[in-house]
Amino acid sequence: MAASIQNDVVAAVEHEISCPVCLDDFEEPKCLPNCAHNVCQHCLEGMVKKRQSSIECPVCRIESVIPNGGVAAFPKNHLLVRLIERTPGRKEKEAIKEALKNCKGKLEGAETALKEMEDRYETSRSQAEQIKQNIKSMAENVVTMVREQETQMLCEIDQKLSQNRNEGTFEMHKSNTSGLCENASSCIQTVEDILQNGVVSDLKDLKEALIEELNEFSESLESRIFWANCEFTHPFDVSLANTESVDKFIQEKCLLGNLTINTDSASVPEDIPTASAFSGLCIGTPVIQKSIDYSMCGSLIQTVDSSSLGVANFTPFSVAVSRSSGHFVALDEEMKHVHIFNEEGEPLKKFRIMYGDLWDIGVSNDDEIVVLNRESNRVLHYDMNGNFRKKFVTAPKENVKFTSLSVDIHGRFIISSSPCYAETQEDTMPHILVYNPSGKLTLSFGDDRLSSPEKAVFLNGKFFVVDHGGECIMVFDKSGDFLEEIGKGRLEHPCSIAADYTNGSLAVSDRGNSTIQIYSQDG
């Protein structure tokens, strides 16, 4: 009964402190002297026309004379001002309004930025397509010209060769000489056999015939030697002239041009100093442009292992990065050590957690290292120097078993409970629990949809959960209501997920096919 009366009173007060024109709480309430009704000053100013001497009350239509100082000179209702200031929930309402206004502004800015980004992207894409067509056309022209030159030059060589060197004559002389050489060789072999095996009386009879035959071959061979020595003593000179441009083209690796991307800072919004505008492509040498080196994309920058740390064994089980400092931390679950590194991968510190079954690690928005202890269902907080700060989080039910941890952009802790690694799976509930930065449970969901959740992240108003049992990514809204499945049929054993807050995409680790798959938010 008391609560009902209080609500009625609050409603009545809210009615009295509302401007009859804008219907919002009064801003600088002015009292009209002839009727005592109150209106916001800025609302009155909007009602007054040029050279108007009086104003009509928007409530009762009674006119009041406008003072010499304008509507600002109307008396201010200080009672209303105090009533507004003391109205229950006013501060909360103002805070919410301010947050709402800020969010609307950011939304408008995001929509404008998105539209401008789309325009820049379409412009860049159309320019790129045009340049691609130009490159193709240029390359086709070059190939056509080279082939035409090739055909023409080959024909010229054949013509010159046929004019100066008769192939038929060459083949005839070559054939005659080859035949003569074979016959002379046969004759020489016969004479040598007779000399070696013949009877002296026979040699006397054959002397004249053999000498005559050998002399004939000698004369014929001598004439062939003379012909062979005279023919082609001055070979037909074949060479390429005026090839400087061709040589240069080859030396420059046949480049059709230099691809550059314009990154002139003048085209970049001032409030986004690190953004780069892909404003167009050009072929040739730019005046004020910056080439982008893609050679390091996907390259190994740093390796952190036992040797670089100077420890006997280093078996990192989980890793997390600080959004503010860029430092990253690694959990060595086997040795129960937490290692802290700077942005360059250089070790800064390590500390040991004496007890517990350590399963995951994260970094809070306050730059605290957060370690998940599955054995006691606790989240342990340490500073970047390894000093213990606090522990909180108590499982809401006995059949919840903490499995993985992630920290969203709002600083909330998203914890999964999975039966996949429990000794008694039937007693462990598949669940997602969301705790605010102070450790208070604000949301739990998924027990009716999930089978073996491995990890969950929050991105742009949705929860994305990799479910090993379902072989997919389960998507829930910000209230924990199921929306859809993505990745079904492409994932075999999804085991981890990370949110890319810059590009709005999801990186999913699949142990089944040893891949990392990148998904958009719609799958």
Side-chain angles (χ1 to χ4, degrees), residues 259-264 286-293:
L259 182 65
T260 58
I261 297 179
N262 189 349
T263 57
D264 187 358
V287 178
I288 304 177
Q289 291 191 339
K290 178 181 177 183
S291 296
I292 296 179
D293 181 12

Side-chain angles (χ1 to χ4, degrees), residues 156-167 236:
E156 288 180 2
I157 292 175
D158 289 340
Q159 290 174 1
K160 297 292 183 182
L161 197 60
S162 62
Q163 292 172 3
N164 292 272
R165 297 289 183 267
N166 189 288
E167 185 176 354
F236 177 50

Side-chain angles (χ1 to χ4, degrees), residues 26 56 79 116 119 202 245 358 426:
F26 281 110
E56 185 181 80
L79 176 61
E116 293 174 351
D119 293 341
D202 294 335
S245 58
L358 311 179
E426 64 275 4

Side-chain angles (χ1 to χ4, degrees), residues 129-360:
E129 288 298 325
Q130 181 60 49
I131 289 177
K132 285 167 65 177
Q133 292 301 320
N134 293 343
I135 293 173
K136 289 180 180 179
S137 177
M138 188 185 305
E140 289 173 358
N141 291 338
V142 170
V143 171
T144 301
M145 292 174 61
V146 170
R147 290 302 180 192
E148 289 176 352
Q149 289 288 318
E150 176 191 20
T151 302
Q152 179 181 346
M153 295 175 73
L154 293 177
C155 289
E156 288 180 2
I157 292 175
D158 289 340
Q159 290 174 1
K160 297 292 183 182
L161 197 60
S162 62
Q163 292 172 3
N164 292 272
R165 297 289 183 267
N166 189 288
E167 185 176 354
T169 303
F170 168 77
E171 291 295 337
M172 180 187 69
H173 284 298
K174 178 183 175 182
S175 176
N176 292 339
T177 304
S178 297
L180 178 62
C181 289
E182 289 178 1
N183 293 334
S185 296
S186 177
C187 176
I188 291 171
Q189 184 65 46
T190 301
V191 173
E192 287 179 345
D193 290 342
I194 292 174
L195 287 175
Q196 185 175 359
N197 303 315
V199 181
V200 176
S201 58
D202 294 335
L203 290 178
K204 290 179 180 181
D205 297 335
L206 294 174
K207 170 189 171 184
E208 296 298 332
L210 293 177
I211 291 176
E212 183 179 358
E213 187 173 4
L214 288 172
N215 288 337
E216 288 179 358
F217 274 114
S218 295
E219 291 177 2
S220 299
L221 289 172
E222 184 177 4
S223 65
R224 294 300 175 183
I225 291 171
F226 175 79
W227 172 83
N229 288 333
C230 291
E231 286 294 324
F232 304 116
T233 54
H234 300 287
F236 177 50
D237 187 14
V238 181
S239 64
L240 287 173
N242 300 323
T243 60
E244 292 85 358
S245 58
V246 178
D247 292 337
K248 184 179 179 182
F249 188 66
I250 295 173
Q251 289 171 4
E252 293 179 355
K253 299 180 180 178
C254 305
L255 293 179
L256 296 176
N258 296 318
L259 182 65
T260 58
I261 297 179
N262 189 349
T263 57
D264 187 358
S265 59
S267 63
V268 183
E270 293 181 358
D271 57 341
I272 312 178
T274 58
S276 61
F278 178 53
S279 58
L281 295 168
C282 68
I283 291 182
T285 304
V287 178
I288 304 177
Q289 291 191 339
K290 178 181 177 183
S291 296
I292 296 179
D293 181 12
Y294 293 99
S295 62
M296 290 300 292
C297 293
S299 300
L300 179 65
I301 297 175
Q302 177 75 18
T303 299
V304 178
D305 54 18
S306 297
S307 59
S308 63
L309 290 178
V311 297
N313 294 296
F314 177 58
T315 52
F317 181 76
S318 180
V319 67
V321 181
S322 167
R323 292 194 185 96
S324 59
S325 65
H327 290 20
F328 65 94
V329 295
L331 172 64
D332 187 342
E333 182 270 340
E334 184 174 339
M335 304 301 293
K336 298 190 183 300
H337 272 114
V338 173
H339 297 263
I340 306 171
F341 307 87
N342 64 14
E343 294 177 87
E344 307 300 325
E346 299 168 342
L348 299 178
K349 195 176 183 65
K350 71 174 180 178
F351 60 91
R352 180 176 174 81
I353 301 175
M354 298 300 296
Y355 306 104
D357 188 9
L358 311 179
W359 270 67
D360 209 349

Side-chain angles (χ1 to χ4, degrees), residues 84-126:
I84 291 171
E85 291 176 349
R86 298 177 182 178
T87 301
R90 174 172 172 75
K91 291 183 179 179
E92 291 78 2
K93 184 186 291 186
E94 290 300 321
I96 293 173
K97 283 184 177 180
E98 182 64 27
L100 182 62
K101 179 182 177 182
N102 181 62
C103 188
K104 286 182 177 179
K106 296 298 182 183
L107 174 60
E108 183 178 349
E111 290 174 341
T112 302
L114 177 62
K115 178 64 170 60
E116 293 174 351
M117 180 187 70
E118 289 175 343
D119 293 341
R120 292 195 303 271
Y121 176 76
E122 290 300 326
T123 300
S124 299
R125 188 170 66 171
S126 63

Side-chain angles (χ1 to χ4, degrees), residues 9-26:
V9 171
V10 171
V13 171
E14 288 180 347
H15 176 73
E16 291 300 326
I17 64 175
S18 299
C19 173
V21 178
C22 64
L23 303 181
D24 286 332
D25 290 351
F26 281 110

Side-chain angles (χ1 to χ4, degrees), residues 402-457:
F402 289 174
T403 303
S404 70
L405 161 76
S406 69
V407 183
D408 71 6
I409 200 169
H410 306 295
R412 298 181 302 176
F413 303 101
I414 305 172
I415 298 175
S416 70
S417 167
S418 177
C420 186
Y421 306 101
E423 295 180 359
T424 54
Q425 296 188 8
E426 64 275 4
D427 296 333
T428 302
M429 175 188 297
H431 217 55
I432 301 298
L433 305 109
V434 182
Y435 294 84
N436 66 15
S438 62
K440 180 180 178 181
L441 180 64
T442 59
L443 180 65
S444 62
F445 61 90
D447 54 311
D448 58 336
R449 285 281 183 177
L450 301 170
S451 58
S452 302
E454 295 271 359
K455 194 152 189 161
V457 295

